[in-house]
Structure formats: C-alpha cells, structure tokens
Amino acid sequence: GENVEQHPSTLSVQEGDSAVIKCTYSDSASNYFPWYKQELGKRPQLIIDIRSNVGEKKDQRIAVTLNKTAKHFSLHITETQPEDSAVYFCAASIFNNDMRFGAGTRLTVKP
Amino acid sequence: EAQVTQNPRYLITVTGKKLTVTCSQNMNHEYMSWYRQDPGLGLRQIYYSMNVEVTDKGDVPEGYKVSRKEKRNFPLILESPSPNQTSLYFCASSLNRGSGYTFGSGTRLTVV
C-alpha cells in the first residue's frame, strides 16, 4: 500500500517568513494529494489539494507543488501569520481509496 | 448546515464492552472513512466506504467493524475494545472520487 513520509516534524518561523513542508509517497499510481490543517483541539480541515495532472496550484498565500517523477509534493506558505500555527498533514491516494496521511508537521509562527 | 456528525464526543469504557461510535453526514457524500489519530503517528485509516454496502479495510482495521447500510451513516463498531484502542477517532466524508474529506469533530475514546 501507499506510504507517505512528511518532513520536518516541527517547523518554527518568524512572522512574515515562508514555510515549506515536504512529503514523499511510494505508490506511483497515487493521483490525489490533499493538505490538511489541524488547529489545537479541532478537526483537520482541507486547505488545498492537487491532482496528478497538475504541477502546481496556488490559493492566496498557500501553494502546493507536485513532482510525479520524484514522487514528492510540497506545501508552501508565504508571509506567515500567527494564525497559521497548527499541525499540517499531507496525504496521498488513488482518488479517495485508502488515503494515507503523513505523520504531520507542527508549524509555529512567532510574532 | 453541511456537516459530519459524530457521537459521542468523549467515551470512557472498560475492556471488552462492545461500543458503537456513530457517524452521519448530511451532504449526500459517496465516500466515508474512519481514522484514528495517535501522537506521532498522524491519521491512520481504519475502514473506508465508496458507497452503500461497499466497504474496505484501511491501514489498521484489526479490532474494528463498520457497516454502510445507508448513504448518510457509517458507524464504527468495537466488538471487544482493548486499551490499545484508546485514541482520537475521526469520521470523514467526501463528495466523490478525488474530492477532499470533510471531517467530523472527533471522538476521544479511552479504554481502561
């Protein structure tokens, strides 16, 4: 089955800096790659996703890139703000079957 | 309001006492799934369902059962809970293939 690895496990940045979280996956058939944000004590929420026919997708301050050849994808957050502090999870699946999540990255944005 | 509703939010039970965690969605979603979340391990899929009467095992199905008799409901059953099933459980649903999941509020289960 699919195996997703996520790095780093913790990330601390100054407000206004950029943050990058990287994930690798093992199954070349995976075609759907969502990212979720989980604030303390709350449920994970979808923030952006990308499909295998697209190399990059942007939504305001967040962007995701996908390299199918290398089987890795990344989340980029620019101009970070304290409210971006949360745990971020990447995931990979063949459509929604058997979606596997990374272990998570705890992002702290210092004011 | 479109949502995924899980009950109960908190549950403390004893080893071996059967329990059911209910999950219901009001968005007419095809896909539903159960995950458990443990520190350092992220979200691990227990079971998922692509439609009514269609279910399949995820990464950690041992000790759990599910059923999908109606599109909106996807209960998680622990026939004989054990302490290693103490965890935070999330139900999630998505409209169709290739759509992101909407998660429920979670159920914190403690088995003593």
Side-chain angles (χ1 to χ4, degrees):
Chain A
E2 177 65 274
N3 182 48
V4 178
E5 294 191 357
Q6 182 171 347
H7 300 281
S9 57
T10 60
L11 179 60
S12 181
V13 300
Q14 287 294 136
E15 183 176 359
D17 287 351
S18 295
V20 180
I21 302 170
K22 299 181 180 182
C23 289
T24 60
Y25 61 98
S26 60
D27 191 339
S28 57
S30 289
N31 57 11
Y32 179 61
F33 307 91
W35 286 88
Y36 292 84
K37 175 183 180 182
Q38 186 178 28
E39 296 175 349
L40 191 62
K42 297 193 175 179
R43 72 192 80 187
Q45 292 197 299
L46 179 71
I47 55 172
I48 195 167
D49 57 12
I50 192 167
R51 291 167 178 79
S52 58
N53 59 346
V54 175
E56 183 174 358
K57 184 177 179 180
K58 285 187 73 172
D59 183 3
Q60 299 182 343
R61 294 187 297 107
I62 60 173
V64 58
T65 58
L66 171 65
N67 183 327
K68 286 192 296 181
T69 303
K71 289 191 280 188
H72 66 71
F73 56 114
S74 301
L75 178 71
H76 304 253
I77 306 174
T78 59
E79 300 171 26
T80 53
Q81 301 166 4
E83 51 265 39
D84 293 330
S85 295
V87 178
Y88 291 81
F89 292 97
C90 62
S93 69
I94 302 170
F95 295 104
N96 266 340
N97 296 345
D98 199 16
M99 182 175 291
R100 301 295 179 91
F101 283 75
T105 296
R106 183 174 299 281
L107 173 64
T108 303
V109 180
K110 299 177 185 175
Chain B
E1 181 189 350
Q3 59 186 353
V4 178
T5 303
Q6 285 179 239
N7 279 297
R9 291 289 310 275
Y10 302 91
L11 179 60
I12 301 174
T13 190
V14 296
T15 299
K17 186 177 181 183
K18 181 179 178 180
L19 67 91
T20 299
V21 184
T22 63
C23 175
S24 180
Q25 50 90 7
N26 62 0
M27 297 169 281
N28 201 35
H29 282 179
E30 286 185 1
Y31 277 73
M32 296 188 76
S33 187
W34 276 102
Y35 287 87
R36 61 177 287 174
Q37 185 173 28
D38 302 288
L41 297 177
L43 291 149
R44 293 181 294 166
Q45 193 173 46
I46 303 170
Y47 271 94
Y48 63 96
S49 170
M50 290 173 278
N51 215 322
V52 176
E53 302 290 3
V54 182
T55 63
D56 209 346
K57 296 177 182 178
D59 209 15
V60 287
E62 295 78 19
Y64 305 94
K65 285 174 59 178
V66 293
S67 67
R68 188 94 182 271
K69 294 187 171 69
E70 306 164 281
K71 198 171 188 179
R72 64 183 294 130
N73 295 323
F74 192 45
L76 179 69
I77 302 155
L78 285 73
E79 294 270 6
S80 183
S82 61
N84 64 12
Q85 293 179 299
T86 292
S87 187
L88 177 60
Y89 291 86
F90 286 102
C91 180
S93 72
S94 70
L95 179 62
N96 51 33
R97 306 169 79 189
S99 300
Y101 275 122
T102 298
F103 282 81
S105 298
T107 296
R108 187 166 292 281
L109 172 65
T110 302
V111 184
V112 298

